[in-house]
Amino acid sequence: MQKIAIIREGKTPPDRRVALTPTQCKEVLDNYKTVDKDFEILVQPSPIRCFSEEEYKEAGCRITEDINEAGILLGVKEVPKPQLIEDKTYLFFSHTIKKQPYNRDLLQKIIEKNVRLVDYEVLTDETGNRVIAFGRYAGIVGAYNGVLTYGKRFGLFELKSANECFDMNEMWSEFEKVKLPNIKIAVTGGGRVASGAKEVLKGMKIKEVSPEEYLNQEFEETVFTQLNSQDYHFKKETSKNAEFDLNHFYDNAKEYDSYFLDFATKTDLLIAAAYWNPESPVLFTKEEMKQNNFKIKVIADITCDIEGSIPSTNRASTIAEPFYDYNVETESEAKPFSDEKNITVMAVDNLPCELPRNASKDFGRELIDQVLPYLLFEDNSSYLKENNFTDRNRIARANLTKDKDLTMEFEYLRDYLEGK
């Protein structure tokens, strides 16, 4: 058994989320002190965390700047290079597994300091499904921001930003202000993010219709549809109506085209919540956005792939300044709400930060149930077996680095690591 620490988030812009809430820390302490009476949770002081140090202290944690006693350090976002402590096990989102250029030097420093990095993004069960994520809250806040943006653009209503709400209950009370005309809203994706977006739209009492109804019918009320990969992709040598093999699409994305333009001519507000593979076709092109029948006026790009599946996403926006316009003719950014011909974009890339208390609570629950037993007892197979934790390789599969090198599972990052 080891001591664990909740580190202070050091990335800019600041992140108020935590891996474990004070109540969850008490639960962990109560459970694991029965196994090891010396087990402790250390908490680094932080002026921005959404829970106070006093709350952690009351839960039985030790507040201390020096966390060197802990072998396992829990964060959320990337740890700044100067703050990495040698020879520790870290859990955080490293944003390196897609070879993101801006974090290559972070991965190099992690290896140099002999850090074992367990990346939340690749923690999976035995079937390959992720066991921990903030995706639901990205979808919740993204859809809320999308509707907020649409109301603001057309002067229909004003909503308090999610960031200004104490928690999700207060944000939910804002739904009563939403008064939309008979517009159509498209949500892409089928995972946690899209499910979170649908929670909000249904909470606003917006009717869901099928993709076929969405394309072929007109409605006297606001409606939305959920679009999965098979709803707007087809194999190049076939037709739109051909049978769609989802696994083949995942493995051979280059062989497919998009006919999302069919939906773009019917859509007023797009909520983009689908994971995008760079080898997949884009939803639509810059040229298609110039066509007279391209109807979309507001895009809530939750995925926030810069110049990825949605060409108007030139950059990520911020919680403080969440909107910008895209001029379709000049293909450039413009001041938000500056011209009715523009498309207004909301592309905040850290949406769960706007509801940090709720997002942290859900994340911590998954951490306790799906990760901590495997992490704290990874060398104690008898404990795992006795307590029905059968997936003994869960942590090993998520180790990006160990012993000053990449692990075998992430050898594909070698050229990225070496700058080739």
Side-chain angles (χ1 to χ4, degrees):
M1 180 69 72
Q2 300 191 59
K3 295 180 181 181
I4 63 176
I6 297 173
I7 64 176
R8 176 171 53 245
E9 295 295 319
K11 186 179 179 183
T12 302
D15 195 310
R16 301 181 62 216
R17 291 174 294 173
V18 293
L20 290 170
T21 71
T23 301
Q24 289 165 345
C25 285
K26 184 177 187 306
E27 177 185 341
V28 172
L29 286 165
D30 289 346
N31 287 340
Y32 292 117
K33 272 188 175 293
T34 62
V35 181
D36 182 353
K37 61 182 177 61
D38 294 324
F39 178 66
E40 272 192 296
I41 298 178
L42 313 181
V43 178
Q44 261 190 330
S46 168
I48 60 168
R49 196 178 281 133
C50 63
F51 296 96
S52 69
E53 277 128 45
E54 188 60 34
E55 289 176 280
Y56 280 104
K57 189 175 181 180
E58 289 176 2
C61 302
R62 176 152 58 99
I63 312 301
T64 174
E65 183 66 36
D66 184 0
I67 54 174
N68 274 285
E69 293 176 54
I72 297 170
L73 310 183
L74 306 177
V76 177
K77 300 288 276 187
E78 301 99 310
V79 176
K81 297 187 294 297
Q83 295 177 21
L84 287 167
I85 302 174
E86 289 185 339
D87 306 323
K88 300 295 184 183
T89 292
Y90 276 86
L91 279 75
F92 59 86
F93 290 100
S94 72
H95 299 292
T96 57
I97 65 167
K98 294 181 184 178
K99 302 184 178 182
Q100 292 94 323
Y102 55 88
N103 276 337
R104 183 171 67 88
D105 56 349
L106 172 61
L107 187 58
Q108 291 171 334
K109 184 61 69 173
I110 285 168
I111 288 175
E112 178 187 321
K113 291 199 168 187
N114 193 32
V115 166
R116 179 173 72 143
L117 173 60
V118 181
D119 194 307
Y120 295 126
E121 196 168 357
V122 290
L123 276 161
T124 61
D125 61 20
E126 291 170 296
T127 63
N129 293 314
R130 287 184 66 179
V131 297
I132 186 167
F134 281 105
R136 176 181 171 230
Y137 280 92
I140 286 171
V141 178
Y144 179 80
N145 280 0
V147 174
L148 178 155
T149 307
Y150 193 91
K152 196 173 186 70
R153 161 146 183 168
F154 293 100
L156 300 172
F157 47 81
E158 290 280 343
L159 300 180
K160 183 183 290 188
S161 73
N163 188 49
E164 294 173 328
C165 297
F166 177 74
D167 58 16
M168 195 159 73
N169 288 334
E170 184 177 358
M171 190 191 81
W172 225 256
S173 68
E174 292 287 295
F175 291 3
E176 296 178 5
K177 300 177 183 177
V178 175
K179 306 294 180 187
L180 289 167
N182 60 332
I183 65 169
K184 288 183 175 181
I185 303 171
V187 179
T188 62
R192 298 185 189 208
V193 182
S195 295
K198 287 178 64 176
E199 274 187 64
V200 167
L201 299 180
K202 289 185 174 182
M204 293 176 176
K205 297 181 170 54
I206 297 174
K207 179 181 177 180
E208 182 176 9
V209 299
S210 71
E212 293 75 21
E213 292 170 323
Y214 188 90
L215 281 179
N216 300 312
Q217 295 182 29
E218 296 301 323
F219 300 89
E220 295 182 357
E221 60 187 311
T222 310
V223 298
F224 81 91
T225 196
Q226 180 179 10
L227 302 174
N228 291 293
S229 297
Q230 61 266 30
D231 294 314
Y232 55 93
H233 290 107
F234 68 99
K235 207 161 181 293
K236 288 178 180 179
E237 66 267 22
T238 65
S239 67
K240 299 175 186 177
N241 300 319
E243 186 175 345
F244 187 87
D245 185 333
L246 186 60
N247 289 326
H248 187 274
F249 171 71
Y250 287 153
D251 294 336
N252 305 275
K254 287 181 179 179
E255 298 179 19
Y256 287 78
D257 268 336
S258 167
Y259 61 96
F260 190 86
L261 189 61
D262 290 3
F263 292 95
T265 62
K266 304 288 184 179
T267 298
D268 300 280
L269 165 60
L270 170 61
I271 299 173
Y275 173 84
W276 182 67
N277 180 342
E279 294 187 346
S280 302
V282 296
L283 288 185
F284 41 78
T285 66
K286 291 180 179 181
E287 289 305 313
E288 288 172 336
M289 296 175 78
K290 297 175 183 179
Q291 295 179 13
N292 291 333
N293 62 348
F294 189 90
K295 195 180 182 188
I296 299 171
K297 286 299 181 185
V298 172
I299 298 175
D301 189 358
I302 303 173
T303 60
C304 199
D305 291 311
I306 309 305
E307 296 184 350
S309 61
I310 297 173
S312 52
T313 304
N314 292 326
R315 63 172 177 88
S317 54
T318 65
I319 292 173
E321 297 182 348
F323 326 109
Y324 59 85
D325 273 9
Y326 174 79
N327 185 314
V328 295
E329 295 303 324
T330 63
E331 301 180 0
S332 61
E333 182 179 331
K335 184 179 177 182
F337 316 117
S338 57
D339 192 313
E340 63 180 16
K341 295 178 183 178
N342 293 342
I343 293 171
T344 302
V345 176
M346 189 291 302
V348 175
D349 66 350
N350 56 343
L351 289 162
C353 297
E354 298 203 46
L355 289 176
R357 294 177 70 90
N358 293 94
S360 297
K361 182 179 178 182
D362 278 20
F363 187 83
R365 183 73 265 150
E366 292 177 338
L367 185 65
I368 291 172
D369 294 342
Q370 302 291 342
V371 181
L372 282 185
Y374 298 99
L375 182 65
L376 296 174
F377 294 96
E378 63 180 321
D379 296 325
N380 188 341
S381 58
S382 59
Y383 176 90
L384 295 176
K385 184 177 181 180
E386 289 166 9
N387 291 275
N388 297 315
F389 295 109
T390 59
D391 184 9
R392 296 175 193 176
N393 295 316
R394 181 163 296 186
I395 302 302
R397 288 195 303 272
N399 284 338
L400 260 72
T401 61
K402 192 175 182 181
D403 300 327
K404 287 195 169 185
D405 203 354
L406 296 170
T407 61
M408 186 67 69
E409 287 82 359
F410 295 93
E411 183 61 32
Y412 76 90
L413 293 173
R414 179 71 59 189
D415 61 340
Y416 163 68
L417 176 66
E418 296 176 355
K420 295 179 181 177

